[in-house]
Amino acid sequence: MNTTTETATAVHPLLALTYDRAVELLFVPPPEGTPLPRPVIDGGPARRLRDAIEPIALHAAWCRRTNDVLSRLGLRIATGYVWGRAAVLGEPPAEVVVSAFAWFEPALITAAYEEARRQCGRAGLLAAREEATVESLAEVLEGVDVTRVVAVLRRALDAADGTGRPLFSGLRALGWPDHPAGELWRACDLLREHRADGHVAVAISAGLGPVAMTVLTELWLGMSIGEHAMGWRGWSEADVALAVADLERRGLVADEALTPAGKRLRDRIEERTDAMEQPVIDAIGDDLDATIAALDAWSTACIDAGAFPPDMYKRATG
């Protein structure tokens, strides 16, 4: 390991995590015959669409082929994820990337971003990541005709506004891969980033910082406090404790659980996030149920192929 990599990984253990180790931690096979866990949120159309696209949208982050390719470029799972998403913005200062990533600890994102750029240039990263991801998804969905669903999703994206959505707008500026599986991946990734950017705006308008928002979501989804904030977003135990104290002071959390006021607030955040996606849902129109059914089946295929962690599908936090 070179000196710059040692410096980066010293910031947080996540930066030293290899893809194989992440698989060991997250891809825990359920007992034989266990049904695939479903998302825990019984939401409306916008939430259903979000859940249906998640494993496809994040294929680049979790499939082995892409991670193997990025590893040869000097990237690990965290640096590949951060640079893979941030590259759509160009090559801005780390502070801009920290702002766009919102929920992650700033030093973690800064170290991951700067280390990734030392290892691999933007053009090479984007080309290698796209080629490997499209090949992988095409293999998972071999023999499946995705063209009708892609047409519906592209129609929906024509109705999606980029105002105040930096990651969505940057990704849209990249254009479309020249392969049906690549178009499917790009469409799902765009929809995911559109919702995620809107979700950040809603949480900020509710007066919630990144740690407090993550803690509220953990409790809302039945996780323990700090499980996601410390485990995957880089925040320290002290950061979480301060956020919990503030949420308790505001009457949103008590005895390590959401209060009725806390649940109402988190429900409203979800409802407002969904409302911001209504133009997308309207553009899909009567094709919604058939589109979600197809996406659910293809996401299940990704999970069955070991290209997305099953439990993250059940308890996704964005």
Side-chain angles (χ1 to χ4, degrees):
M1 186 182 292
N2 62 38
T3 302
T4 56
T5 302
E6 289 174 347
T7 301
T9 56
V11 173
H12 196 278
L14 280 175
L15 296 182
L17 188 68
T18 65
Y19 176 73
D20 285 337
R21 180 56 179 153
V23 168
E24 289 177 10
L25 292 171
L26 291 172
F27 289 70
V28 180
E32 188 173 351
T34 302
L36 180 71
R38 306 305 299 167
V40 299
I41 306 304
D42 184 18
R47 181 70 198 199
R48 288 171 56 213
L49 179 64
R50 174 249 176 270
D51 290 336
I53 67 175
E54 183 78 353
I56 302 169
L58 288 181
H59 199 73
W62 288 108
C63 76
R64 178 168 292 279
R65 184 172 306 191
T66 301
N67 278 278
D68 285 348
V69 168
L70 296 187
S71 178
R72 292 194 288 273
L73 296 177
L75 304 177
R76 297 191 176 191
I77 190 165
T79 48
Y81 170 76
V82 171
W83 195 198
R85 284 185 78 200
V88 306
L89 300 172
E91 298 187 67
E95 291 84 355
V96 175
V97 179
V98 167
S99 174
F101 276 58
W103 311 129
F104 292 82
E105 199 280 324
L108 170 65
I109 295 300
T110 298
Y113 176 63
E114 292 179 346
E115 171 61 16
R117 291 175 68 202
R118 282 190 287 266
Q119 296 293 335
C120 175
R122 178 177 183 263
L125 175 280
L126 288 172
R129 186 173 182 264
E130 179 176 310
E131 181 180 3
T133 303
V134 173
E135 288 177 352
S136 175
L137 187 58
E139 185 175 289
V140 171
L141 300 181
E142 186 177 4
V144 175
D145 183 1
V146 303
T147 53
R148 176 173 171 77
V149 168
V150 167
V152 171
L153 297 182
R154 292 191 68 157
R155 185 174 78 221
L157 286 162
D158 286 342
D161 183 12
T163 304
R165 293 179 167 93
L167 288 170
F168 167 76
S169 297
L171 183 60
R172 182 161 61 177
L174 293 184
W176 292 84
D178 188 22
H179 189 286
E183 289 187 272
L184 176 66
W185 167 53
R186 181 59 48 80
C188 290
D189 202 7
L190 279 165
L191 288 167
R192 184 184 189 277
E193 293 290 25
H194 190 269
R195 182 187 175 90
D197 283 337
H199 189 60
V200 171
V202 172
I204 290 170
S205 72
L208 293 166
V211 192
M213 180 61 195
T214 303
V215 169
L216 276 187
T217 300
E218 288 170 339
L219 295 176
W220 190 64
L221 291 170
M223 297 181 183
S224 59
I225 289 176
E227 181 179 339
H228 204 70
M230 293 188 291
W232 298 104
R233 290 186 171 168
W235 300 101
S236 70
E237 187 174 351
D239 293 326
V240 172
L242 283 172
V244 170
D246 181 57
L247 291 168
E248 289 175 338
R249 179 186 59 78
R250 295 170 64 179
L252 302 173
V253 170
D255 300 322
E256 300 187 352
L258 291 180
T259 64
K263 185 178 185 307
R264 283 195 301 272
L265 175 60
R266 187 58 185 82
D267 287 344
R268 282 201 303 273
I269 288 170
E270 194 69 14
E271 290 163 3
R272 291 182 63 193
T273 301
D274 283 350
M276 292 178 75
E277 297 304 296
Q278 195 58 46
V280 168
I281 298 302
D282 289 343
I284 294 174
D286 293 340
D287 291 316
L288 182 69
D289 288 341
T291 298
I292 288 177
L295 291 166
D296 267 331
W298 301 338
S299 283
T300 298
C302 290
I303 294 169
D304 290 343
F308 194 81
D311 195 54
M312 287 185 68
Y313 184 44
K314 183 178 69 172
R315 301 197 300 177
T317 63

